[in-house]
Amino acid sequence: MPLIPGHEDDPLVDGAYLIDEPLFWASHLLQCTNGVEEPLCAGFGVSKADLLQFFERVSAERQWPALSVPLPAGHVLHVLYRNLPGEGGYDYLLHHPDWKATVPLARVEGCFRGPGLCWPELLAVAHKAAEAGSAPRLDPHTFLLLLPIMSDADLPLDADDVLAAMLTACGAAGETGVLARILLEEQGCWGPQHWTLTPAGRISETRYAFRRPGAMSSDMLAQVSLLLEPSGNA
C-alpha cells in the first residue's frame, strides 16, 4: 500500500483487489449519477440490493480503499475512499515521491470540488495505462476509475460508444449503451463544463474546480496539464 501524505494514520487498504469485480464499478459510478442506482443496475445487470450492499462494503469506516493510477515521471494519481463517519467522500490526489504533500485534483462529496479532467485527458491517461500491457488501446479500469471527475461540454461524436465499450470490458452485461448516454449527459456533480487552454495550462471555467487560477498555482496548473496531455512528460 503506497503511503499517501496526510493519511498516514487513516485505515487505508490497497483497493487493487476491487477492479475485477463488476459490482465495484457499478458502485464507483454512483458518483456520476449523484447516487441514483437504477441506470447502473440496468447497465450492469445487477439488483439494487446487491449494489447497495457492495456500496456499504467499500464505504466501511474501518477501511478506506485507495487505488492508484501511474502518470509520467513517477507521478501518481491516488483515488481515495475517504470513509469518515458523516463526512465520506472520494479524493483524487496527485502526488510525486519528491513532494511533501498531495495536490488535490478533484473531490466528490456534498461540497464537491472539480471537475478534474476533460475528455481528451481521460483518454490520454487511459491510453498511457494500456501501453505497459498488450491489447486494448484504452485501459478500461483506469478509464472508469477516473470517469467520475471527467466533465466536458465538447464531447466527440463517438464518446457514447467509447464509454459503452469500457463498461462492457469492466463487466457490465446490461444496457451499456443507455447507461453510457446517461453518464455522459449527467457528468456527475458538475454537469458538462467548458475548459480553456491558457499559457498556464488547461483550466476549468467552473468556480468549484481546483484547476483554475487562485485555487492552484500557475506552476502547478502547467504541470498538471503536461501530466495529463497525450504528450505529457513532466
Side-chain angles (χ1 to χ4, degrees), residues 134-156:
S134 57
R137 186 176 64 87
L138 298 173
D139 179 68
H141 296 146
T142 298
F143 191 98
L144 292 193
L145 188 64
L146 301 184
L147 182 68
I149 63 168
M150 189 286 301
S151 172
D152 202 322
D154 302 304
L155 294 174

Side-chain angles (χ1 to χ4, degrees), residues 118-232:
C118 62
W119 179 263
E121 292 172 336
L122 177 61
L123 294 179
V125 175
H127 177 68
K128 293 180 197 305
E131 287 178 353
S134 57
R137 186 176 64 87
L138 298 173
D139 179 68
H141 296 146
T142 298
F143 191 98
L144 292 193
L145 188 64
L146 301 184
L147 182 68
I149 63 168
M150 189 286 301
S151 172
D152 202 322
D154 302 304
L155 294 174
L157 294 177
D158 67 343
D160 287 3
D161 293 336
V162 171
L163 177 51
M166 299 296 101
L167 291 166
T168 299
C170 288
E175 301 170 3
T176 54
V178 174
L179 176 57
R181 285 194 296 275
I182 291 172
L183 295 176
L184 293 179
E185 286 173 0
E186 296 190 1
Q187 295 191 35
C189 302
W190 24 75
Q193 298 290 335
H194 292 281
W195 295 79
T196 301
L197 191 58
T198 74
R202 196 187 302 269
I203 63 172
S204 172
E205 296 183 10
T206 174
R207 62 190 178 95
Y208 302 112
F210 287 113
R211 292 182 64 186
R212 61 179 178 82
M216 190 177 286
S217 71
S218 57
D219 287 346
M220 185 55 67
L221 281 171
Q223 186 169 8
V224 169
S225 289
L226 282 173
L227 287 171
L228 301 177
E229 288 292 334
S231 58

